[in-house]
Amino acid sequence: MGNRFIDKLKSYGVLDTADASALEAATARSQDYGAKADLIREGDRPGPVFVILEGWACRYKVLPSGTRQVTAFLMPGDCCDLHVGLLAEMDHTIQTITQAKIATIGREEMDRLMDAHPKVARAMYIAQLIDEGIMRAWITSMGRRTSIERAAHLICELYLRAANIGLVSNAELILPLSQLVLADALGMTPVHLNRVLKELKLQAAVSLQRGKLMITDPAKLMRIAGFDENYLHRRLRVA
Amino acid sequence: MGNRFIDKLKSYGVLDTADASALEAATARSQDYGAKADLIREGDRPGPVFVILEGWACRYKVLPSGTRQVTAFLMPGDCCDLHVGLLAEMDHTIQTITQAKIATIGREEMDRLMDAHPKVARAMYIAQLIDEGIMRAWITSMGRRTSIERAAHLICELYLRAANIGLVSNAELILPLSQLVLADALGMTPVHLNRVLKELKLQAAVSLQRGKLMITDPAKLMRIAGFDENYLHRRLRVA
DNA sequence: CGTGTACTTGACAAGAGTCAACACCAGTGG
DNA sequence: CCACTGGTGTTGACTCTTGTCAAGTACACG
């Protein structure tokens, strides 16, 4: 399986073997979670950095009315919230979507690791900057894209992020995201999302299985979304 | 006038005089901008960190259709994009809204400053974490709040952020934001925002001047917004 | 005093939510 | 082995929010 976290950081800049083995050591102990398990809840005191080794998770907030908004998807290789230990409490919940294997890195350990391995620190900062770019793209989607564009845009994003970590084969990606979860991320009702996906299917851009979504024509999807991948920063500054 | 940037960082943790004077030195040279001046554009190569000393600015993205989405407001004391120099290009534009006085801190200078002053580094990280929390709150607003709630929520946020840096007096804040800009931030049309603000005015929560918005009853506004300030992290972990 | 930009209002159209019913499937326990 | 159950997906009819278009008003500025 390999360690997708290390693979991802390597894609942000060369790591030497010492860097890689330090990361390997830091993520050696991992824990298995079932689907829909909270890693940390809104209001909790922040703890260690989570590193998703396998499976999918998401961040979300719940409103007084009980409705839910997913604010980010986490896939293998993603990690959350460098320095978050500086805050008194979490402003959102992090929950697994599927079964997942997750490592944690304590705050002091992470500080030491980044001090001793500047190239790792650099890669971690890049990962954080990209996550911020993704949030800006989500705000833009929610504010100014139609529901079809918005759905297509999210799926494009997930496709490219997954491709970066080798989750895509034959230009196909299987997303283990239910329509309920997608609707909570896209800020629409499940009913409406269902109609939107039907339309995308009609245009032969995606296909639907029960509970899974398969992307059959990424190029067409990008055209529908008006997708510009610049915010994923796959082209990085050469050092 | 003082240096609102330093004041803000001080509110995130004690800084000693050496820390403060280093920050003072780093922001001593500032530049004046007129309204609607680009600091940096989408596609540009990232440069130094910008520090807003006076005036207001915003980040925005433009879609192929030409519509605009504001993704963040920057007020005095705010700074942008620690480590952004690691990326090859900006994924959004930063533009002044009003006349503004803005300092820049080069990447190496900032690295040196943070190395030599851990308390400054700590405060900068907190500022960044809060900015991320704000983005999550925006995503949540756009996805799951009605237009009235959303407008009220944004105004609450700006009110509290402004209060933190001493911009509020007599529970009143004057926002130099046009309805066009607010509409671009809230993901609605100016026409609709106008009606929403009229409704908020009717409920005596805000009052409107041409081009300026005055917040007269923050408490009522918070009730309308269902506002929970946790995401602004005003209560920080004690070190 | 004219001109441009922002704000305001009304009438109408389009998009998205709501409600309700039903289909489908996986897992459970009898 | 089958009926039951709960979660998810699907569809239709209807409502309501929001966008669109168009016209007009009010300032600020040169």
Side-chain angles (χ1 to χ4, degrees), chain A residues 118 122-123 125-126 129 236-239, chain B residues 45-50 80-88 104-115:
Chain A
R122 189 189 135 96
Y125 290 135
I126 290 174
L129 287 164
L236 295 168
R237 170 170 296 190
V238 281
Chain B
R45 184 166 185 146
V49 170
F50 294 104
C80 2
D81 299 320
L82 204 54
H83 301 124
V84 75
L86 296 171
L87 301 177
T104 55
I105 307 179
R107 190 165 139 211
E108 318 72 32
E109 188 182 359
M110 183 54 100
D111 285 348
R112 263 184 280 115
L113 203 165
M114 288 173 63
D115 276 348

PDB file of all heavy atoms in Angstrom, chain A residues 118 122-123 125-126 129 236-239, chain B residues 45-50 80-88 104-115:
ATOM      1  N   PRO A 118      13.729  20.457   7.508  1.00  0.00           N
ATOM      2  CA  PRO A 118      13.151  21.651   6.857  1.00  0.00           C
ATOM      3  C   PRO A 118      12.382  21.319   5.595  1.00  0.00           C
ATOM      4  O   PRO A 118      11.390  21.987   5.280  1.00  0.00           O
ATOM      5  CB  PRO A 118      14.377  22.505   6.526  1.00  0.00           C
ATOM      6  CG  PRO A 118      15.538  21.897   7.211  1.00  0.00           C
ATOM      7  CD  PRO A 118      15.173  20.539   7.704  1.00  0.00           C
ATOM      8  N   ARG A 122       8.624  22.485   4.858  1.00  0.00           N
ATOM      9  CA  ARG A 122       8.249  23.162   3.619  1.00  0.00           C
ATOM     10  C   ARG A 122       7.056  22.477   2.953  1.00  0.00           C
ATOM     11  O   ARG A 122       6.079  23.117   2.554  1.00  0.00           O
ATOM     12  CB  ARG A 122       9.467  23.115   2.688  1.00  0.00           C
ATOM     13  CG  ARG A 122       9.366  23.931   1.458  1.00  0.00           C
ATOM     14  CD  ARG A 122      10.561  23.588   0.539  1.00  0.00           C
ATOM     15  NE  ARG A 122      10.075  23.418  -0.795  1.00  0.00           N
ATOM     16  CZ  ARG A 122      10.102  24.397  -1.714  1.00  0.00           C
ATOM     17  NH1 ARG A 122      10.630  25.551  -1.436  1.00  0.00           N
ATOM     18  NH2 ARG A 122       9.607  24.192  -2.915  1.00  0.00           N
ATOM     19  N   ALA A 123       7.126  21.153   2.867  1.00  0.00           N
ATOM     20  CA  ALA A 123       6.038  20.405   2.228  1.00  0.00           C
ATOM     21  C   ALA A 123       4.743  20.553   3.035  1.00  0.00           C
ATOM     22  O   ALA A 123       3.652  20.680   2.468  1.00  0.00           O
ATOM     23  CB  ALA A 123       6.421  18.941   2.088  1.00  0.00           C
ATOM     24  N   TYR A 125       3.864  23.118   4.824  1.00  0.00           N
ATOM     25  CA  TYR A 125       3.330  24.459   4.585  1.00  0.00           C
ATOM     26  C   TYR A 125       2.636  24.529   3.235  1.00  0.00           C
ATOM     27  O   TYR A 125       1.589  25.155   3.086  1.00  0.00           O
ATOM     28  CB  TYR A 125       4.445  25.507   4.673  1.00  0.00           C
ATOM     29  CG  TYR A 125       4.955  25.702   6.075  1.00  0.00           C
ATOM     30  CD1 TYR A 125       6.314  25.765   6.357  1.00  0.00           C
ATOM     31  CD2 TYR A 125       4.067  25.810   7.146  1.00  0.00           C
ATOM     32  CE1 TYR A 125       6.774  25.934   7.657  1.00  0.00           C
ATOM     33  CE2 TYR A 125       4.524  25.969   8.442  1.00  0.00           C
ATOM     34  CZ  TYR A 125       5.876  26.029   8.698  1.00  0.00           C
ATOM     35  OH  TYR A 125       6.320  26.185   9.980  1.00  0.00           O
ATOM     36  N   ILE A 126       3.227  23.853   2.255  1.00  0.00           N
ATOM     37  CA  ILE A 126       2.588  23.838   0.937  1.00  0.00           C
ATOM     38  C   ILE A 126       1.227  23.152   1.031  1.00  0.00           C
ATOM     39  O   ILE A 126       0.233  23.646   0.488  1.00  0.00           O
ATOM     40  CB  ILE A 126       3.503  23.140  -0.094  1.00  0.00           C
ATOM     41  CG1 ILE A 126       4.725  24.018  -0.369  1.00  0.00           C
ATOM     42  CG2 ILE A 126       2.736  22.860  -1.387  1.00  0.00           C
ATOM     43  CD1 ILE A 126       5.771  23.374  -1.269  1.00  0.00           C
ATOM     44  N   LEU A 129      -1.189  25.579   2.445  1.00  0.00           N
ATOM     45  CA  LEU A 129      -1.567  26.629   1.492  1.00  0.00           C
ATOM     46  C   LEU A 129      -2.559  26.099   0.464  1.00  0.00           C
ATOM     47  O   LEU A 129      -3.502  26.794   0.071  1.00  0.00           O
ATOM     48  CB  LEU A 129      -0.314  27.159   0.786  1.00  0.00           C
ATOM     49  CG  LEU A 129       0.599  28.047   1.640  1.00  0.00           C
ATOM     50  CD1 LEU A 129       1.969  28.188   0.984  1.00  0.00           C
ATOM     51  CD2 LEU A 129      -0.032  29.414   1.862  1.00  0.00           C
ATOM     52  N   LEU A 236       4.496  23.970  -8.686  1.00  0.00           N
ATOM     53  CA  LEU A 236       5.013  24.709  -7.544  1.00  0.00           C
ATOM     54  C   LEU A 236       6.246  25.503  -7.954  1.00  0.00           C
ATOM     55  O   LEU A 236       6.875  25.225  -8.962  1.00  0.00           O
ATOM     56  CB  LEU A 236       5.362  23.735  -6.416  1.00  0.00           C
ATOM     57  CG  LEU A 236       4.141  23.009  -5.848  1.00  0.00           C
ATOM     58  CD1 LEU A 236       4.569  21.861  -4.966  1.00  0.00           C
ATOM     59  CD2 LEU A 236       3.277  23.979  -5.071  1.00  0.00           C
ATOM     60  N   ARG A 237       6.550  26.478  -7.167  1.00  0.00           N
ATOM     61  CA  ARG A 237       7.750  27.258  -7.415  1.00  0.00           C
ATOM     62  C   ARG A 237       8.964  26.359  -7.275  1.00  0.00           C
ATOM     63  O   ARG A 237       9.069  25.565  -6.352  1.00  0.00           O
ATOM     64  CB  ARG A 237       7.812  28.394  -6.400  1.00  0.00           C
ATOM     65  CG  ARG A 237       9.139  29.112  -6.431  1.00  0.00           C
ATOM     66  CD  ARG A 237       9.085  30.344  -5.612  1.00  0.00           C
ATOM     67  NE  ARG A 237       8.135  31.293  -6.169  1.00  0.00           N
ATOM     68  CZ  ARG A 237       8.038  32.546  -5.741  1.00  0.00           C
ATOM     69  NH1 ARG A 237       8.783  32.961  -4.753  1.00  0.00           N
ATOM     70  NH2 ARG A 237       7.183  33.364  -6.286  1.00  0.00           N
ATOM     71  N   VAL A 238       9.888  26.450  -8.210  1.00  0.00           N
ATOM     72  CA  VAL A 238      11.128  25.685  -8.071  1.00  0.00           C
ATOM     73  C   VAL A 238      12.026  26.414  -7.084  1.00  0.00           C
ATOM     74  O   VAL A 238      12.167  27.620  -7.130  1.00  0.00           O
ATOM     75  CB  VAL A 238      11.853  25.520  -9.426  1.00  0.00           C
ATOM     76  CG1 VAL A 238      11.190  24.426 -10.237  1.00  0.00           C
ATOM     77  CG2 VAL A 238      11.849  26.815 -10.208  1.00  0.00           C
ATOM     78  N   ALA A 239      12.572  25.635  -6.165  1.00  0.00           N
ATOM     79  CA  ALA A 239      13.376  26.226  -5.089  1.00  0.00           C
ATOM     80  C   ALA A 239      14.727  26.690  -5.633  1.00  0.00           C
ATOM     81  O   ALA A 239      14.950  27.795  -6.028  1.00  0.00           O
ATOM     82  CB  ALA A 239      13.610  25.194  -3.994  1.00  0.00           C
TER      83      ALA A 239
ATOM     84  N   ARG B  45       3.109  35.834  -9.544  1.00  0.00           N
ATOM     85  CA  ARG B  45       4.003  35.106  -8.660  1.00  0.00           C
ATOM     86  C   ARG B  45       3.919  35.733  -7.269  1.00  0.00           C
ATOM     87  O   ARG B  45       4.069  36.948  -7.128  1.00  0.00           O
ATOM     88  CB  ARG B  45       5.417  35.242  -9.209  1.00  0.00           C
ATOM     89  CG  ARG B  45       6.414  34.456  -8.440  1.00  0.00           C
ATOM     90  CD  ARG B  45       7.704  34.353  -9.235  1.00  0.00           C
ATOM     91  NE  ARG B  45       8.596  33.492  -8.504  1.00  0.00           N
ATOM     92  CZ  ARG B  45       9.470  32.675  -9.079  1.00  0.00           C
ATOM     93  NH1 ARG B  45       9.546  32.623 -10.387  1.00  0.00           N
ATOM     94  NH2 ARG B  45      10.243  31.920  -8.350  1.00  0.00           N
ATOM     95  N   PRO B  46       3.693  34.926  -6.249  1.00  0.00           N
ATOM     96  CA  PRO B  46       3.544  35.485  -4.895  1.00  0.00           C
ATOM     97  C   PRO B  46       4.789  36.240  -4.471  1.00  0.00           C
ATOM     98  O   PRO B  46       5.906  35.873  -4.858  1.00  0.00           O
ATOM     99  CB  PRO B  46       3.350  34.246  -4.021  1.00  0.00           C
ATOM    100  CG  PRO B  46       2.847  33.206  -4.931  1.00  0.00           C
ATOM    101  CD  PRO B  46       3.478  33.476  -6.256  1.00  0.00           C
ATOM    102  N   GLY B  47       4.592  37.280  -3.709  1.00  0.00           N
ATOM    103  CA  GLY B  47       5.715  38.077  -3.253  1.00  0.00           C
ATOM    104  C   GLY B  47       5.783  38.096  -1.736  1.00  0.00           C
ATOM    105  O   GLY B  47       5.655  37.060  -1.095  1.00  0.00           O
ATOM    106  N   PRO B  48       5.935  39.270  -1.172  1.00  0.00           N
ATOM    107  CA  PRO B  48       6.062  39.385   0.278  1.00  0.00           C
ATOM    108  C   PRO B  48       4.717  39.215   0.970  1.00  0.00           C
ATOM    109  O   PRO B  48       3.684  39.128   0.325  1.00  0.00           O
ATOM    110  CB  PRO B  48       6.575  40.812   0.445  1.00  0.00           C
ATOM    111  CG  PRO B  48       6.039  41.547  -0.743  1.00  0.00           C
ATOM    112  CD  PRO B  48       5.992  40.560  -1.861  1.00  0.00           C
ATOM    113  N   VAL B  49       4.784  39.171   2.287  1.00  0.00           N
ATOM    114  CA  VAL B  49       3.570  39.177   3.095  1.00  0.00           C
ATOM    115  C   VAL B  49       3.053  40.615   3.177  1.00  0.00           C
ATOM    116  O   VAL B  49       3.815  41.537   3.422  1.00  0.00           O
ATOM    117  CB  VAL B  49       3.898  38.662   4.517  1.00  0.00           C
ATOM    118  CG1 VAL B  49       2.722  38.871   5.459  1.00  0.00           C
ATOM    119  CG2 VAL B  49       4.312  37.206   4.472  1.00  0.00           C
ATOM    120  N   PHE B  50       1.752  40.787   2.937  1.00  0.00           N
ATOM    121  CA  PHE B  50       1.169  42.123   3.082  1.00  0.00           C
ATOM    122  C   PHE B  50       0.613  42.301   4.489  1.00  0.00           C
ATOM    123  O   PHE B  50      -0.020  41.384   5.028  1.00  0.00           O
ATOM    124  CB  PHE B  50       0.023  42.327   2.092  1.00  0.00           C
ATOM    125  CG  PHE B  50       0.466  42.336   0.662  1.00  0.00           C
ATOM    126  CD1 PHE B  50       0.248  41.236  -0.160  1.00  0.00           C
ATOM    127  CD2 PHE B  50       1.096  43.452   0.127  1.00  0.00           C
ATOM    128  CE1 PHE B  50       0.663  41.243  -1.478  1.00  0.00           C
ATOM    129  CE2 PHE B  50       1.512  43.462  -1.191  1.00  0.00           C
ATOM    130  CZ  PHE B  50       1.296  42.357  -2.001  1.00  0.00           C
ATOM    131  N   CYS B  80      -1.500  38.824   5.265  1.00  0.00           N
ATOM    132  CA  CYS B  80      -1.863  37.704   4.403  1.00  0.00           C
ATOM    133  C   CYS B  80      -0.726  36.794   4.085  1.00  0.00           C
ATOM    134  O   CYS B  80       0.370  37.210   3.799  1.00  0.00           O
ATOM    135  CB  CYS B  80      -2.457  38.148   3.079  1.00  0.00           C
ATOM    136  SG  CYS B  80      -2.568  39.859   2.738  1.00  0.00           S
ATOM    137  N   ASP B  81      -1.061  35.521   4.126  1.00  0.00           N
ATOM    138  CA  ASP B  81      -0.365  34.509   3.368  1.00  0.00           C
ATOM    139  C   ASP B  81       1.082  34.291   3.769  1.00  0.00           C
ATOM    140  O   ASP B  81       2.005  34.409   2.973  1.00  0.00           O
ATOM    141  CB  ASP B  81      -0.458  34.846   1.884  1.00  0.00           C
ATOM    142  CG  ASP B  81      -1.891  34.871   1.444  1.00  0.00           C
ATOM    143  OD1 ASP B  81      -2.645  34.018   1.892  1.00  0.00           O
ATOM    144  OD2 ASP B  81      -2.240  35.761   0.666  1.00  0.00           O
ATOM    145  N   LEU B  82       1.233  33.909   4.998  1.00  0.00           N
ATOM    146  CA  LEU B  82       2.486  33.380   5.489  1.00  0.00           C
ATOM    147  C   LEU B  82       2.885  32.221   4.589  1.00  0.00           C
ATOM    148  O   LEU B  82       2.034  31.392   4.257  1.00  0.00           O
ATOM    149  CB  LEU B  82       2.220  32.870   6.908  1.00  0.00           C
ATOM    150  CG  LEU B  82       3.376  32.766   7.872  1.00  0.00           C
ATOM    151  CD1 LEU B  82       4.099  34.096   7.973  1.00  0.00           C
ATOM    152  CD2 LEU B  82       2.857  32.348   9.228  1.00  0.00           C
ATOM    153  N   HIS B  83       4.135  32.169   4.200  1.00  0.00           N
ATOM    154  CA  HIS B  83       4.690  31.062   3.411  1.00  0.00           C
ATOM    155  C   HIS B  83       4.187  31.009   1.977  1.00  0.00           C
ATOM    156  O   HIS B  83       4.490  30.071   1.254  1.00  0.00           O
ATOM    157  CB  HIS B  83       4.378  29.681   4.042  1.00  0.00           C
ATOM    158  CG  HIS B  83       4.907  29.508   5.420  1.00  0.00           C
ATOM    159  ND1 HIS B  83       4.106  29.164   6.489  1.00  0.00           N
ATOM    160  CD2 HIS B  83       6.149  29.654   5.938  1.00  0.00           C
ATOM    161  CE1 HIS B  83       4.831  29.089   7.577  1.00  0.00           C
ATOM    162  NE2 HIS B  83       6.067  29.387   7.285  1.00  0.00           N
ATOM    163  N   VAL B  84       3.408  32.006   1.571  1.00  0.00           N
ATOM    164  CA  VAL B  84       2.799  31.902   0.251  1.00  0.00           C
ATOM    165  C   VAL B  84       3.857  31.880  -0.848  1.00  0.00           C
ATOM    166  O   VAL B  84       3.612  31.411  -1.959  1.00  0.00           O
ATOM    167  CB  VAL B  84       1.782  33.041   0.018  1.00  0.00           C
ATOM    168  CG1 VAL B  84       2.490  34.349  -0.251  1.00  0.00           C
ATOM    169  CG2 VAL B  84       0.819  32.696  -1.097  1.00  0.00           C
ATOM    170  N   GLY B  85       5.039  32.353  -0.512  1.00  0.00           N
ATOM    171  CA  GLY B  85       6.133  32.360  -1.478  1.00  0.00           C
ATOM    172  C   GLY B  85       6.528  30.974  -1.961  1.00  0.00           C
ATOM    173  O   GLY B  85       7.239  30.839  -2.949  1.00  0.00           O
ATOM    174  N   LEU B  86       6.039  29.940  -1.267  1.00  0.00           N
ATOM    175  CA  LEU B  86       6.335  28.577  -1.699  1.00  0.00           C
ATOM    176  C   LEU B  86       5.563  28.191  -2.956  1.00  0.00           C
ATOM    177  O   LEU B  86       5.910  27.216  -3.623  1.00  0.00           O
ATOM    178  CB  LEU B  86       6.013  27.585  -0.571  1.00  0.00           C
ATOM    179  CG  LEU B  86       6.846  27.724   0.713  1.00  0.00           C
ATOM    180  CD1 LEU B  86       6.282  26.829   1.808  1.00  0.00           C
ATOM    181  CD2 LEU B  86       8.302  27.367   0.437  1.00  0.00           C
ATOM    182  N   LEU B  87       4.526  28.936  -3.254  1.00  0.00           N
ATOM    183  CA  LEU B  87       3.694  28.584  -4.406  1.00  0.00           C
ATOM    184  C   LEU B  87       4.169  29.306  -5.667  1.00  0.00           C
ATOM    185  O   LEU B  87       4.847  30.328  -5.592  1.00  0.00           O
ATOM    186  CB  LEU B  87       2.233  28.954  -4.131  1.00  0.00           C
ATOM    187  CG  LEU B  87       1.617  28.271  -2.909  1.00  0.00           C
ATOM    188  CD1 LEU B  87       0.193  28.767  -2.685  1.00  0.00           C
ATOM    189  CD2 LEU B  87       1.633  26.758  -3.067  1.00  0.00           C
ATOM    190  N   ALA B  88       3.785  28.766  -6.810  1.00  0.00           N
ATOM    191  CA  ALA B  88       4.228  29.345  -8.080  1.00  0.00           C
ATOM    192  C   ALA B  88       3.370  30.533  -8.486  1.00  0.00           C
ATOM    193  O   ALA B  88       3.859  31.499  -9.055  1.00  0.00           O
ATOM    194  CB  ALA B  88       4.201  28.290  -9.175  1.00  0.00           C
ATOM    195  N   THR B 104       4.915  45.709   3.637  1.00  0.00           N
ATOM    196  CA  THR B 104       5.251  44.385   3.118  1.00  0.00           C
ATOM    197  C   THR B 104       6.466  43.859   3.878  1.00  0.00           C
ATOM    198  O   THR B 104       7.357  44.625   4.240  1.00  0.00           O
ATOM    199  CB  THR B 104       5.591  44.434   1.618  1.00  0.00           C
ATOM    200  OG1 THR B 104       6.623  45.380   1.405  1.00  0.00           O
ATOM    201  CG2 THR B 104       4.380  44.817   0.796  1.00  0.00           C
ATOM    202  N   ILE B 105       6.453  42.569   4.115  1.00  0.00           N
ATOM    203  CA  ILE B 105       7.585  41.929   4.782  1.00  0.00           C
ATOM    204  C   ILE B 105       8.078  40.808   3.877  1.00  0.00           C
ATOM    205  O   ILE B 105       7.315  39.903   3.545  1.00  0.00           O
ATOM    206  CB  ILE B 105       7.183  41.345   6.154  1.00  0.00           C
ATOM    207  CG1 ILE B 105       6.497  42.421   7.013  1.00  0.00           C
ATOM    208  CG2 ILE B 105       8.408  40.789   6.880  1.00  0.00           C
ATOM    209  CD1 ILE B 105       6.034  41.927   8.375  1.00  0.00           C
ATOM    210  N   GLY B 106       9.312  40.915   3.471  1.00  0.00           N
ATOM    211  CA  GLY B 106       9.881  39.912   2.563  1.00  0.00           C
ATOM    212  C   GLY B 106       9.935  38.538   3.216  1.00  0.00           C
ATOM    213  O   GLY B 106       9.884  38.408   4.431  1.00  0.00           O
ATOM    214  N   ARG B 107      10.015  37.526   2.362  1.00  0.00           N
ATOM    215  CA  ARG B 107       9.924  36.170   2.872  1.00  0.00           C
ATOM    216  C   ARG B 107      11.073  35.831   3.822  1.00  0.00           C
ATOM    217  O   ARG B 107      10.854  35.253   4.884  1.00  0.00           O
ATOM    218  CB  ARG B 107       9.929  35.212   1.674  1.00  0.00           C
ATOM    219  CG  ARG B 107       9.592  33.805   2.037  1.00  0.00           C
ATOM    220  CD  ARG B 107       9.267  33.029   0.785  1.00  0.00           C
ATOM    221  NE  ARG B 107       9.855  31.714   0.845  1.00  0.00           N
ATOM    222  CZ  ARG B 107      10.282  31.028  -0.216  1.00  0.00           C
ATOM    223  NH1 ARG B 107      10.194  31.572  -1.425  1.00  0.00           N
ATOM    224  NH2 ARG B 107      10.781  29.830  -0.072  1.00  0.00           N
ATOM    225  N   GLU B 108      12.292  36.214   3.441  1.00  0.00           N
ATOM    226  CA  GLU B 108      13.450  35.867   4.284  1.00  0.00           C
ATOM    227  C   GLU B 108      13.363  36.654   5.583  1.00  0.00           C
ATOM    228  O   GLU B 108      13.624  36.126   6.673  1.00  0.00           O
ATOM    229  CB  GLU B 108      14.770  36.190   3.577  1.00  0.00           C
ATOM    230  CG  GLU B 108      14.819  35.830   2.098  1.00  0.00           C
ATOM    231  CD  GLU B 108      13.964  36.775   1.262  1.00  0.00           C
ATOM    232  OE1 GLU B 108      13.838  37.974   1.624  1.00  0.00           O
ATOM    233  OE2 GLU B 108      13.381  36.326   0.254  1.00  0.00           O
ATOM    234  N   GLU B 109      12.970  37.918   5.473  1.00  0.00           N
ATOM    235  CA  GLU B 109      12.870  38.740   6.671  1.00  0.00           C
ATOM    236  C   GLU B 109      11.852  38.131   7.637  1.00  0.00           C
ATOM    237  O   GLU B 109      12.070  38.053   8.840  1.00  0.00           O
ATOM    238  CB  GLU B 109      12.464  40.172   6.299  1.00  0.00           C
ATOM    239  CG  GLU B 109      12.526  41.123   7.483  1.00  0.00           C
ATOM    240  CD  GLU B 109      12.069  42.538   7.123  1.00  0.00           C
ATOM    241  OE1 GLU B 109      11.720  42.767   5.941  1.00  0.00           O
ATOM    242  OE2 GLU B 109      12.046  43.390   8.028  1.00  0.00           O
ATOM    243  N   MET B 110      10.728  37.698   7.065  1.00  0.00           N
ATOM    244  CA  MET B 110       9.694  37.096   7.907  1.00  0.00           C
ATOM    245  C   MET B 110      10.198  35.804   8.551  1.00  0.00           C
ATOM    246  O   MET B 110       9.961  35.563   9.741  1.00  0.00           O
ATOM    247  CB  MET B 110       8.459  36.815   7.041  1.00  0.00           C
ATOM    248  CG  MET B 110       7.273  36.248   7.782  1.00  0.00           C
ATOM    249  SD  MET B 110       6.768  37.256   9.200  1.00  0.00           S
ATOM    250  CE  MET B 110       5.385  38.125   8.511  1.00  0.00           C
ATOM    251  N   ASP B 111      10.916  34.998   7.789  1.00  0.00           N
ATOM    252  CA  ASP B 111      11.471  33.759   8.352  1.00  0.00           C
ATOM    253  C   ASP B 111      12.429  34.080   9.504  1.00  0.00           C
ATOM    254  O   ASP B 111      12.367  33.448  10.565  1.00  0.00           O
ATOM    255  CB  ASP B 111      12.219  32.972   7.260  1.00  0.00           C
ATOM    256  CG  ASP B 111      11.249  32.279   6.310  1.00  0.00           C
ATOM    257  OD1 ASP B 111      10.059  32.220   6.639  1.00  0.00           O
ATOM    258  OD2 ASP B 111      11.688  31.823   5.240  1.00  0.00           O
ATOM    259  N   ARG B 112      13.286  35.053   9.272  1.00  0.00           N
ATOM    260  CA  ARG B 112      14.247  35.422  10.321  1.00  0.00           C
ATOM    261  C   ARG B 112      13.515  35.928  11.557  1.00  0.00           C
ATOM    262  O   ARG B 112      13.815  35.549  12.686  1.00  0.00           O
ATOM    263  CB  ARG B 112      15.205  36.498   9.806  1.00  0.00           C
ATOM    264  CG  ARG B 112      16.543  35.933   9.311  1.00  0.00           C
ATOM    265  CD  ARG B 112      17.508  37.026   8.892  1.00  0.00           C
ATOM    266  NE  ARG B 112      17.217  37.519   7.555  1.00  0.00           N
ATOM    267  CZ  ARG B 112      16.816  38.755   7.269  1.00  0.00           C
ATOM    268  NH1 ARG B 112      16.673  39.651   8.230  1.00  0.00           N
ATOM    269  NH2 ARG B 112      16.582  39.099   6.024  1.00  0.00           N
ATOM    270  N   LEU B 113      12.518  36.772  11.307  1.00  0.00           N
ATOM    271  CA  LEU B 113      11.771  37.370  12.418  1.00  0.00           C
ATOM    272  C   LEU B 113      11.124  36.280  13.267  1.00  0.00           C
ATOM    273  O   LEU B 113      11.173  36.305  14.501  1.00  0.00           O
ATOM    274  CB  LEU B 113      10.716  38.316  11.834  1.00  0.00           C
ATOM    275  CG  LEU B 113      10.162  39.446  12.688  1.00  0.00           C
ATOM    276  CD1 LEU B 113       9.444  40.453  11.795  1.00  0.00           C
ATOM    277  CD2 LEU B 113       9.224  38.968  13.766  1.00  0.00           C
ATOM    278  N   MET B 114      10.519  35.305  12.583  1.00  0.00           N
ATOM    279  CA  MET B 114       9.816  34.256  13.326  1.00  0.00           C
ATOM    280  C   MET B 114      10.789  33.302  14.018  1.00  0.00           C
ATOM    281  O   MET B 114      10.490  32.796  15.095  1.00  0.00           O
ATOM    282  CB  MET B 114       8.867  33.502  12.391  1.00  0.00           C
ATOM    283  CG  MET B 114       7.660  34.360  12.018  1.00  0.00           C
ATOM    284  SD  MET B 114       6.586  33.635  10.749  1.00  0.00           S
ATOM    285  CE  MET B 114       6.021  32.168  11.568  1.00  0.00           C
ATOM    286  N   ASP B 115      11.943  33.088  13.398  1.00  0.00           N
ATOM    287  CA  ASP B 115      12.953  32.259  14.055  1.00  0.00           C
ATOM    288  C   ASP B 115      13.458  32.927  15.332  1.00  0.00           C
ATOM    289  O   ASP B 115      13.612  32.282  16.372  1.00  0.00           O
ATOM    290  CB  ASP B 115      14.148  32.018  13.115  1.00  0.00           C
ATOM    291  CG  ASP B 115      13.891  30.857  12.173  1.00  0.00           C
ATOM    292  OD1 ASP B 115      12.911  30.123  12.419  1.00  0.00           O
ATOM    293  OD2 ASP B 115      14.648  30.698  11.200  1.00  0.00           O
TER     294      ASP B 115
END
